[in-house]
Amino acid sequence: MLNLQLPTDPRWVGIAEMQIEDILVDHAYCEQKAASSCISLIIRYNDLDELVDTLTPIVAEEWGHFERVMEQLRKRGMRFGKQRKDEYVAKLYDLVRKGGSRKDQLTEGLLMNALIEARSCERFKLLSKNIEDEELRKFYYELMISEAGHYVTFIDLARKYQDPEKVNKRWKEWLEFEAEVMKNMELRGDRMH
Ligand SMILES: [Fe+2]
Ligand SMILES: [Fe+2]
């Protein structure tokens, strides 16, 4: 369903589990960035009613996720550390097509968001199936469902505001780029991506 071209290295979940504090901190920032990115889209495309009305509740949802990750950190006596450099997202940004029409730019933004949701969803699924901590397993299962919904929402919005065939073609390219990015990233257990 997620269409990702390269599954996560199965070793990732084991090393992530050993660094769960780093994962939770990184995850909190992922939720913050998801909320921020929706806010940016709303401001930039204020004239697109359906986009504004669809993304507004998602901002609240992502911020709710942030709050819940913080709760998991706090109850484990863990510290909310500094934000790390997000190499994965930085590499995806490099692939965003510069220029083009405003509509083309919107497609790029929505597809990039969809991709990050898809990869997060895949990783949450791995955590929900494989880690020992039962509470976190449930937590990640719930978030996996929620991010899968966002993934679909971003793709649907892209197809609403742009020729769907064009979106599908570009989506395939994005999926290939992302697999390439993933392939070249160092396997680390201290980050969600
Ligand atoms: Fe989220
Ligand atoms: Fe999301």
Side-chain angles (χ1 to χ4, degrees):
M1 175 219 146
L2 293 170
N3 292 312
L4 294 170
Q5 305 294 296
L6 185 74
T8 288
D9 185 319
R11 291 171 298 172
W12 173 77
V13 71
I15 56 172
E17 186 173 19
M18 288 190 286
Q19 287 167 269
I20 203 69
E21 180 167 10
D22 292 329
I23 286 290
L24 285 169
V25 171
D26 190 55
H27 180 188
Y29 287 111
C30 290
E31 299 294 356
Q32 171 266 310
K33 280 176 276 187
S36 300
S37 151
C38 286
I39 292 173
S40 301
L41 285 167
I42 289 169
I43 294 167
R44 189 163 170 198
Y45 298 97
N46 64 295
D47 55 322
L48 305 181
D49 294 356
E50 191 176 329
L51 179 138
V52 171
D53 295 346
T54 304
L55 295 186
T56 297
I58 295 186
V59 173
E61 216 180 301
E62 301 291 20
W63 199 249
H65 292 170
F66 175 87
E67 211 178 333
R68 291 182 62 191
V69 180
M70 288 303 289
E71 205 180 284
Q72 294 297 329
L73 267 174
R74 295 295 187 225
K75 77 199 289 188
R76 288 172 175 73
M78 295 169 172
R79 305 260 328 145
F80 182 42
K82 271 209 164 118
Q83 182 173 19
R84 60 153 178 101
K85 195 171 155 254
D86 194 336
E87 262 179 71
Y88 173 70
V89 170
K91 281 184 180 159
L92 291 184
Y93 262 121
D94 286 344
L95 305 172
V96 171
R97 235 181 232 158
K98 314 292 180 284
S101 66
R102 187 164 177 261
K103 206 162 82 174
D104 293 337
Q105 283 298 305
L106 174 62
T107 306
E108 293 294 282
L110 291 171
L111 293 186
M112 183 168 150
N113 272 284
L115 205 40
I116 299 169
E117 294 284 0
R119 183 58 76 183
S120 305
C121 186
E122 190 230 12
R123 299 248 157 142
F124 292 173
K125 186 175 177 189
L126 286 171
L127 292 167
S128 78
K129 283 190 152 180
N130 297 292
I131 63 175
E132 294 260 329
D133 187 318
E134 206 185 324
E135 190 180 352
L136 283 181
R137 276 211 312 267
K138 276 194 199 139
F139 177 60
Y140 278 113
Y141 181 79
E142 267 182 58
L143 291 198
M144 170 193 83
I145 307 277
S146 169
E147 312 304 2
H150 297 163
Y151 157 77
V152 172
T153 301
F154 282 120
I155 299 267
D156 285 352
L157 277 175
R159 290 188 182 130
K160 182 185 164 67
Y161 290 109
Q162 174 78 278
D163 172 9
E165 295 232 336
K166 215 171 155 181
V167 171
N168 295 348
K169 189 169 164 265
R170 185 61 182 148
W171 179 236
K172 276 205 188 109
E173 290 172 359
W174 266 106
L175 286 167
E176 281 163 26
F177 290 151
E178 198 263 355
E180 205 50 42
V181 165
M182 265 297 149
K183 203 164 80 188
N184 295 315
M185 279 191 69
E186 187 194 347
L187 182 70
R188 293 174 61 150
D190 60 348
R191 49 184 64 174
M192 197 52 95
H193 304 109

